[in-house]
Amino acid sequence: MKVLVLNCGSSTLKFQLIEVSTASGSNTSGGDKKLARGIVDQIGGPSSLRFEIAGAPVKQESVTVRDHQEAVGKVIEWLKSRPELSAFDAVGHRVVHGGDRFHASVRIDDHVIEALESLCEIAPLHNPATVSGIRAARAVLGAVVPMVAAFDTSFHSTIPDYASTYAIPYELSLKHHIRRYGFHGLAHQHSALRYGELTTTPKERIDIVTLHLGNGCSACAIRSGKSVDTSMGFTPLEGLVMGTRSGDLDPALVSYLADRESVGAAEIESWLNKRSGLLGLSGLSNDVRELISAYDANPRARLAIEVFCYRARKYLSAYLAVLGGTGAVIFSGGIGENAPLIRERICAGMEWCGLRLDNDQNSSMIGTEGCISAPRARIQAYVIPSDEEALIACETVGLV
Ligand code: ADP
């Protein structure tokens, strides 16, 4: 079955066309064939389009794309122009926020679209683009092509109340639907499923901590294959230090900074999202590659890496306590998959709990899947490259 996976960001549309083998029994990517992929970048003005087919030259062009509707139109037009790609059976949409309404992937109909629209209130940065992508795909393809929504929050719907509730006046939480929703659920779920496949561990024995470290970063405690805590909260701002996000901080800093800098709370929130994290600490870049290059010569680049790794180690250790021990720690995301130095720093000094990396394995595991812990370490460590699209395609096939 061929599934078109669409992932609408605030100014981007990423897509993949995946042929899912229904015979492989894999829940992740085993047996799948990636037929095509691409991105429409900088939607809303002069944009760039990049389309790739396995084994063919990449097609790139600059063109004005006004909105997500037009972007989806361009992608489908390109696919339809290639006989080998033109027929797909279903569309899977990545949706960042499912609120307290969606606890699993769902077939999209008018009611689902209405519910997603109503969620834009608590996810104003993420859901509107997805909803317009869904509407556009429906307009172009018609209601005959089945569509599925897969949510970044739904994997975390198993987090118990004591871990998902903020200690603020309870009536306010109820009134405004405030709780720790968590994000990156598709990435954490993919890591867990793939770990299960790699180690032939049945779901009920998957007790792991997953660290998804990309531009956005989050940790997840997984017991019996289910999320029981995660570091992002009501929004993706909470938790680990990220590329441009601060992660955890004293909430009193918001009004303190607003007062001192004579700006509103919304402006401070934007600084915490866009000017903080690795970028804010280093004053240099949000990209770990640049910070590693500058590590020896630039004390702020060094500090940024130290703060990043320390926060990740704190969360990892907290989740060991949450789980009462763990079978493995999984690294994923652009940093987790490609930066041995960061993995080494995060795991440094963790021998007390039985987590010890194998230096050679860690250094050589770059962008590939495999075990990086020392041979007899009590807690194993793995690198598992993220493939949320494969998971969305599998979910789509399952529901269609
Ligand atoms: P997103 O969260 O946007 O999906 P990615 O998971 O692709 O992002 O992660 C992007 C980040 O990964 C970059 O900003 C960079 O910090 C890091 N990264 C990518 N490649 C490398 C590399 N080879 N070495 C170190 N860090 C890398």
Side-chain angles (χ1 to χ4, degrees):
M1 193 179 218
K2 284 184 194 157
V3 180
L4 172 62
V5 177
L6 295 179
N7 179 357
C8 291
S10 52
S11 63
T12 58
L13 167 66
K14 294 185 196 154
F15 74 93
Q16 278 195 29
L17 185 64
I18 302 177
E19 183 158 17
V20 180
S21 153
T22 43
S24 76
S26 167
N27 289 309
T28 54
S29 49
D32 288 359
K33 210 160 136 197
K34 305 279 171 69
L35 303 174
R37 64 190 300 157
I39 180 166
V40 184
D41 212 351
Q42 289 160 323
I43 295 170
S47 317
S48 64
L49 270 57
R50 185 185 164 89
F51 297 137
E52 269 177 74
I53 304 179
V58 174
K59 178 186 166 175
Q60 248 171 324
E61 58 183 70
S62 300
V63 54
T64 297
V65 179
R66 273 171 315 193
D67 50 26
H68 285 82
Q69 182 161 348
E70 202 174 335
V72 169
K74 294 258 177 232
V75 168
I76 293 175
E77 187 186 315
W78 178 72
L79 291 170
K80 295 273 181 202
S81 72
R82 319 279 311 200
E84 73 279 24
L85 307 177
S86 61
F88 42 88
D89 306 288
V91 181
H93 293 268
R94 177 183 188 168
V95 184
V96 168
H97 214 315
D100 34 26
R101 165 81 194 268
F102 296 105
H103 297 162
S105 302
V106 65
R107 254 310 263 267
I108 295 174
D109 59 18
D110 290 339
H111 298 299
V112 169
I113 296 178
E114 270 170 36
L116 292 176
E117 256 161 2
S118 72
L119 285 171
C120 290
E121 201 180 321
I122 57 168
L125 296 178
H126 301 101
N127 277 28
T130 313
V131 172
S132 59
I134 291 172
R135 284 201 182 281
R138 261 199 156 192
V140 177
L141 298 169
V144 285
V145 177
M147 299 201 200
V148 165
F151 300 92
D152 262 316
T153 46
S154 62
F155 183 58
H156 301 303
S157 60
T158 46
I159 294 179
D161 288 346
Y162 56 76
S164 66
T165 309
Y166 288 107
I168 61 173
Y170 192 61
E171 321 74 69
L172 287 179
S173 292
L174 290 183
K175 185 174 169 192
H176 300 293
H177 304 277
I178 294 170
R179 72 174 181 85
R180 306 187 57 255
Y181 288 100
F183 298 88
H184 284 159
L186 293 159
H188 293 295
Q189 187 179 4
H190 175 267
S191 288
L193 290 168
R194 191 70 199 128
Y195 168 77
E197 286 174 0
L198 278 176
T199 57
T200 58
T201 305
K203 186 179 170 199
E204 51 295 351
R205 285 187 28 226
I206 297 179
D207 299 328
I208 56 175
V209 178
T210 48
L211 294 173
H212 182 71
L213 310 176
N215 265 321
C217 301
S218 66
C220 185
I222 297 176
R223 180 186 291 132
S224 306
K226 294 178 184 164
S227 172
V228 292
D229 203 352
T230 193
S231 56
M232 285 177 167
F234 180 64
T235 75
L237 186 53
E238 192 180 343
L240 303 181
V241 175
M242 311 182 209
T244 60
R245 294 188 193 123
S246 62
D248 293 341
L249 47 70
D250 182 341
L253 272 178
V254 175
S255 58
Y256 183 79
L257 275 176
D259 191 34
R260 294 292 149 128
E261 294 289 320
S262 307
V263 296
E267 183 66 10
I268 300 296
E269 189 184 322
S270 159
W271 295 357
L272 297 176
N273 270 301
K274 297 183 184 153
R275 288 178 51 191
S276 301
L278 294 172
L279 175 66
L281 280 163
S282 68
L284 182 67
S285 172
N286 61 321
D287 193 315
V288 160
R289 283 167 287 201
E290 282 187 50
L291 301 182
I292 290 175
S293 303
Y295 188 90
D296 289 328
N298 183 330
R300 278 180 61 183
R302 198 155 57 240
L303 178 67
I305 288 182
E306 281 168 0
V307 176
F308 181 93
C309 296
Y310 176 71
R311 182 84 55 86
R313 186 159 70 243
K314 241 167 61 162
Y315 265 93
L316 168 56
S317 304
Y319 288 170
L320 292 180
V322 165
L323 295 172
T326 186
V329 176
I330 315 293
F331 289 92
S332 65
I335 301 170
E337 292 161 26
N338 296 299
L341 175 84
I342 302 292
R343 298 192 296 246
E344 179 202 310
R345 290 289 166 99
I346 292 173
C347 298
M350 296 288 289
E351 293 81 7
W352 62 270
C353 64
L355 174 61
R356 211 156 30 88
L357 297 190
D358 178 300
N359 287 340
D360 293 341
Q361 281 294 101
N362 183 40
S363 309
S364 63
M365 207 67 73
I366 296 177
T368 48
E369 179 178 84
C371 183
I372 55 170
S373 46
R376 277 173 296 283
R378 220 167 349 110
I379 295 179
Q380 297 197 306
Y382 281 84
V383 174
I384 297 185
S386 285
D387 195 349
E388 291 109 315
E389 285 79 10
L391 183 57
I392 296 167
C394 288
E395 295 275 307
T396 303
V397 169
L399 282 165
V400 168

